[in-house]
Amino acid sequence: MTGHVLAGRGRVSDGRGRAVGGPGRVVAGLDGSPAWHIRAGSTGEGRETVRVTPQHAGWEFSALRVVELPPRARYECATEEFEVVVLPLAGSCTVEAVAGSCTVEAVAGRAELAGRAELAGRLSVFAALSDCAYVPRDSELSLTSEAGGRFALASARARRALPFRHVRSADIAVELRGTGTCSRQVNNFAMPGILDADRLLACEVLTPSGNWSSYPPHKHDEDRPGECALEEIYYFEVAAGPAGPGIAYQRVYGTPQRPADILAEVRTGDVVMIPHGWHGPSMAAPGYDLYYLNVMAGPGRREWLARDDPAHSWVRSTWPDQPVDPRLPMTGRRTNP
């Protein structure tokens, strides 16, 4: 697949108009197929620490970049056929979008496709909720950060150009999911009901140390009642301990028809791609809180429908008898039971 920006070349300016950076690298497994576990810094170049494209993953819709900017730097790219949500992971930034040539169905008021948002951001993913900005396809996008920071560009191949939007942190639905050692916090910043998008679904999950999330294991790789086909990217950050960086673990396994067998030790900046199969648990090791950003998209309706592994779905029946972990919510306030 060629011709789209998220498989192409972004431009990072050093603040004096000089572009730095270059094309991302495809990381392959031993058999030449895309590696599902991508180590931090192994795909991006220049200021991009992560670049996962449909070309990298061998799929059609989901993409992610993570950009690190020094103070007063600028990052620019063309979204082309991808809708993008800019989410600060650490730091604040200004997002500007100018509508380019529209090659999809006309929308009322082309001016709505352009916009500018000052994203207040946060010190870290463990410190607070962050606002974010939706940038439509066929746009010229730029990020600037006075103090510098780290910013995720969650993306999906889109059919429609929808209006630019600034989603404020106060409008993000915070869900506490599970109880006991399965307790976790889900920040639904780019899910239906919060953000109008064409295909993109995105949320962030905070798991206190010692807990399991994405559990029971579930999958969403078929279109059938109770399930929809979605490609998914997990981007991880792990809180450090007194002796240094933390670790966590991610499990993915397949079905007889589509086998997979992954148990990845993940650290800050790592990515796990999930084109199919059961995924979970995401395990926060004792002593280290875990964060991950989920980016999903698929060919069907924009909804998240997942099917539990029937071997483990009984675990849900134990939740009503246990309290929610008192360490939650870790950021923001609970808005959903």
Side-chain angles (χ1 to χ4, degrees):
M1 303 174 190
T2 59
H4 48 78
V5 64
L6 296 182
R9 184 184 300 268
R11 301 182 299 280
V12 181
S13 166
D14 63 0
R16 300 179 182 177
R18 299 178 298 192
V20 296
R25 300 185 297 277
V26 176
V27 176
L30 295 177
D31 61 357
S33 62
W36 287 22
H37 178 203
I38 300 172
R39 293 292 186 186
S42 63
T43 55
E45 290 188 359
R47 295 299 176 185
E48 292 178 1
T49 59
V50 171
R51 182 187 294 192
V52 177
T53 72
Q55 181 183 29
H56 291 142
W59 59 35
E60 294 291 331
F61 303 105
S62 299
L64 173 69
R65 291 186 183 193
V66 176
V67 175
E68 291 196 2
L69 294 180
R72 295 177 298 281
R74 175 184 294 270
Y75 175 88
E76 299 174 323
C77 69
T79 64
E80 294 191 3
E81 57 188 308
F82 286 80
E83 58 185 350
V84 178
V85 168
V86 178
L87 176 71
L89 301 172
S92 59
C93 68
T94 300
V95 179
E96 295 182 89
V98 178
S101 59
C102 191
T103 59
V104 293
E105 64 185 74
V107 295
R110 289 287 303 281
E112 293 182 350
L113 301 180
R116 185 177 188 273
E118 301 280 351
L119 302 186
R122 52 193 166 184
L123 291 176
S124 79
V125 295
F126 299 104
L129 291 172
S130 176
D131 48 357
C132 60
Y134 174 88
V135 179
R137 60 165 289 168
D138 299 304
S139 298
E140 296 292 331
L141 182 157
S142 70
L143 301 182
T144 55
S145 179
E146 183 64 24
R150 184 168 61 258
F151 310 97
L153 279 66
S155 312
R157 179 174 277 115
R159 298 155 295 190
R160 300 176 296 153
L162 298 175
F164 181 95
R165 184 177 171 192
H166 182 183
V167 179
R168 302 187 184 277
S169 59
D171 297 326
I172 295 172
V174 176
E175 175 187 359
L176 301 189
R177 192 175 295 172
T179 63
T181 56
C182 293
S183 301
R184 63 271 200 182
Q185 173 182 338
V186 183
N187 301 332
N188 293 305
F189 67 91
M191 299 294 282
I194 302 299
L195 175 69
D196 186 19
D198 184 61
R199 281 196 173 108
L200 181 65
L201 296 161
C203 64
E204 51 186 7
V205 181
L206 291 159
T207 309
S209 65
N211 285 7
W212 284 16
S213 56
S214 282
Y215 194 77
H218 58 281
K219 74 179 185 74
H220 39 70
D221 57 14
E222 298 180 81
D223 282 318
R224 58 175 176 169
E227 184 178 356
C228 56
L230 293 169
E231 308 156 351
E232 185 164 19
I233 300 166
Y234 276 62
Y235 165 81
F236 297 91
E237 297 203 2
V238 187
I247 58 172
Y249 296 88
Q250 176 67 48
R251 177 72 170 128
V252 185
Y253 57 99
T255 63
Q257 297 76 24
R258 305 177 76 185
D261 188 5
I262 297 168
L263 177 58
E265 180 182 292
V266 295
R267 299 172 184 268
T268 292
D270 281 9
V271 167
V272 172
M273 303 186 304
I274 303 174
H276 62 84
W278 307 103
H279 42 287
S282 302
M283 295 166 270
Y288 304 104
D289 293 335
L290 173 64
Y291 166 95
Y292 52 88
L293 168 63
N294 288 144
V295 181
M296 298 171 282
R301 293 194 305 172
R302 183 178 176 250
E303 56 184 344
W304 183 76
L305 296 176
R307 182 178 296 270
D308 285 349
D309 183 340
H312 305 294
S313 60
W314 66 269
V315 172
R316 290 186 184 273
S317 67
T318 69
W319 290 355
D321 299 326
Q322 303 177 67
V324 174
D325 192 312
R327 293 174 291 178
L328 294 172
M330 296 170 67
T331 62
R333 60 184 178 86
R334 181 178 180 176
T335 59
N336 292 70

